[in-house]
Amino acid sequence: MRNKESKDINATSGIICLQPFYFMEFTTSGKIYTCCPSWIKYSIGNIKDKTIAEIWNSEEAQYIRKKMYLGEWQDICNPICPHLSVFRHDNNLFLYDYIDALEVLTPQLSDEIKGGKIHLQSSPTIFNLSNSKICNLSCIMCDRLTQVDDRELIEKTAKDIFTHLSSAKKLVLSGLGDPFARPDTRYLLINFKDENSELKFDLITNGLLFPKYWEQIKHQKFDALLISIDAATKETYEKIRIGGSWETLLQSLSLIKENRDNFNTVTLNMTVMRHNYREILEFIVFAESYGFNASFQRIRGDWGDQNFFDMQDSRAIEELRKIIMHEKSKERNINIFWGDLLEFMGKESKKS
């Protein structure tokens, strides 16, 4: 729980970010991070030559935790991190007096953090597998093809993670590729069985293979299901999501709706670009028709004229602003997450 009052950065009552104490993200290179790799400056080790247990308390991991206790985030974090954005906005901290209530922490881990430990006896509670590019689609804005899979490394990682799942809180599948297309993540989904475990799965998927594997995985506990769609019409969908079928998607969404109670949240996601930004309102109505949430973020990277944000296309940006402002004036029966769109619009407003 974050405090509601402004605190000095060197306050002893709380900590800026807790991720270095419970989170591991795996990448195609074998490097492991305690946060999104673009948000933090250092890897804590490589699964190629060490185990998860060894990496979890590496010198790098302990250094990051020490700096976080001290509030010296500039030495370890990049300013683009959204957790830092919250802190920099109002200096809010995670208060030590309240971290026992956080679901991501075990009682032992909570005690270790309150005790200022940098070498942890507790294992990570959340794993994020961003270590394989295998997918059943080739979306026009996806950079997964710049990655190189190492099959032996992927198999080693899956085997090591499997031994930690019973004590973990969450497994995120996946930050790269599709969890149903990837053999390693599919194996974990199908074969993990521990009725006493608190483990829940987060699924980030295009949803097309959901019907094929649902009967084999429905015994699991799920938290969030995020389905990347990027369109509200068949024409736009199949233009962006190469290899996808709008009819197959609709069948998948219907099955997910039938099994809605198995998931804590279900969200349809759009990466906003030139091809689809005029469909934002229709996309929200589409999500609402299923009772699912809607989320957005702007396209990033060099994708030609699709990235009208970096191109500073004032006409498209102004049109997008009007679309968003029109939507924000409405009341919806679902949650809408605007991601970094509102922050971008705020910066553009200050320029003008």
Side-chain angles (χ1 to χ4, degrees):
M1 180 181 295
R2 288 188 182 272
N3 66 324
K4 296 182 180 179
E5 298 179 357
S6 178
K7 295 289 182 180
D8 183 85
I9 194 169
N10 292 316
T12 58
S13 59
I15 191 168
I16 296 171
C17 178
L18 290 166
Q19 286 209 185
F21 300 86
Y22 67 80
F23 183 86
M24 269 190 160
E25 177 157 345
F26 298 78
T27 64
T28 54
S29 67
K31 290 182 178 179
I32 296 177
Y33 297 83
T34 61
C35 194
C36 173
S38 62
W39 297 347
I40 196 161
K41 295 180 178 180
Y42 306 105
S43 161
I44 61 171
N46 198 307
I47 197 70
K48 286 182 178 180
D49 47 34
K50 292 184 179 179
T51 65
I52 289 173
E54 291 169 335
I55 294 170
W56 186 232
N57 282 303
S58 66
E59 290 184 9
E60 293 83 359
Q62 294 185 60
Y63 171 78
I64 289 172
R65 292 175 192 136
K66 178 180 178 180
K67 286 293 183 178
M68 196 60 75
Y69 279 127
L70 295 172
E72 296 172 356
W73 63 266
Q74 296 91 338
D75 294 334
I76 55 175
C77 304
N78 294 316
I80 63 172
C81 172
H83 300 290
L84 284 176
S85 296
V86 174
F87 172 75
R88 294 200 311 273
H89 184 264
D90 52 17
N91 282 359
N92 279 357
L93 302 169
F94 286 98
L95 296 178
Y96 293 129
D97 288 345
Y98 295 101
I99 64 173
D100 290 343
L102 297 175
E103 292 185 5
V104 295
L105 304 181
T106 62
Q108 180 185 1
L109 182 51
S110 178
D111 288 341
E112 289 188 278
I113 294 171
K114 288 186 286 188
K117 303 294 184 182
I118 61 173
H119 186 285
L120 303 176
Q121 296 300 314
S122 303
S123 299
T125 63
I126 297 182
F127 298 99
N128 186 356
L129 284 176
S130 299
N131 60 333
S132 175
K133 66 180 183 181
I134 296 175
C135 187
N136 52 315
L137 296 182
S138 296
C139 302
I140 65 172
M141 70 296 188
C142 182
D143 63 355
R144 68 182 180 85
L145 295 182
T146 64
Q147 306 290 323
V148 178
D149 276 9
D150 184 327
R151 182 175 298 181
E152 183 177 341
L153 194 60
I154 292 169
E155 291 177 357
K156 177 186 177 184
T157 301
K159 289 178 181 179
D160 200 343
I161 281 183
F162 200 93
T163 65
H164 291 271
L165 291 185
S166 291
S167 61
K169 297 274 190 175
K170 186 177 291 187
L171 180 58
V172 182
L173 305 176
S174 61
L176 189 65
D178 188 272
F180 296 110
R182 291 175 48 171
D184 62 318
T185 51
R186 198 166 61 231
Y187 176 86
L188 295 172
L189 272 168
I190 294 172
N191 291 286
F192 177 73
K193 294 180 176 68
D194 185 343
E195 294 181 357
N196 297 318
S197 171
E198 296 181 19
L199 182 73
K200 292 183 179 181
F201 289 81
D202 272 6
L203 299 180
I204 305 170
T205 174
N206 56 55
L208 297 176
L209 296 174
F210 186 90
K212 182 176 181 179
Y213 294 105
W214 175 241
E215 289 298 321
Q216 298 178 65
I217 69 167
K218 66 180 183 180
H219 63 282
Q220 301 295 2
K221 301 170 187 174
F222 297 97
D223 191 8
L225 172 59
L226 180 69
I227 308 163
S228 297
I229 295 178
D230 303 317
T233 64
K234 172 182 172 66
E235 179 183 5
T236 303
Y237 176 79
E238 295 182 358
K239 185 185 299 182
I240 294 173
R241 309 208 128 244
I242 308 301
S245 162
W246 183 253
E247 290 74 20
T248 302
L249 173 68
L250 296 182
Q251 293 172 8
S252 296
L253 294 180
S254 295
L255 179 60
I256 292 167
K257 184 178 180 180
E258 290 173 12
N259 293 277
R260 175 63 183 81
D261 291 344
N262 292 74
F263 301 91
N264 184 29
T265 62
V266 180
T267 304
L268 306 187
N269 184 72
M270 173 187 281
T271 297
V272 178
M273 65 190 80
R274 191 177 300 278
H275 273 337
N276 63 14
Y277 75 94
R278 291 189 177 95
E279 293 187 9
I280 285 178
L281 299 183
E282 193 175 353
F283 184 83
I284 293 171
V285 173
F286 180 73
E288 195 172 33
S289 71
Y290 287 93
F292 301 159
N293 298 324
S295 67
F296 302 89
Q297 72 279 322
R298 60 191 175 94
I299 189 173
R300 292 184 179 274
D302 184 13
W303 303 107
D305 68 347
Q306 290 303 315
N307 191 345
F308 61 86
F309 301 97
D310 288 354
M311 291 175 62
Q312 297 294 306
D313 184 335
S314 57
R315 183 175 180 177
I317 291 171
E318 180 57 27
E319 186 177 0
L320 175 61
R321 187 197 315 279
K322 290 179 180 179
I323 291 171
I324 293 175
M325 292 304 105
H326 177 72
E327 173 57 36
K328 284 179 66 64
S329 67
K330 296 183 177 181
E331 291 187 7
R332 295 287 187 184
N333 296 319
I334 60 172
N335 294 317
I336 301 173
F337 307 99
W338 293 104
D340 56 2
L341 285 178
L342 296 183
E343 182 180 6
F344 179 86
M345 292 303 171
K347 291 179 180 177
E348 289 301 301
S349 295
K350 291 179 181 178
K351 291 180 183 178
S352 56

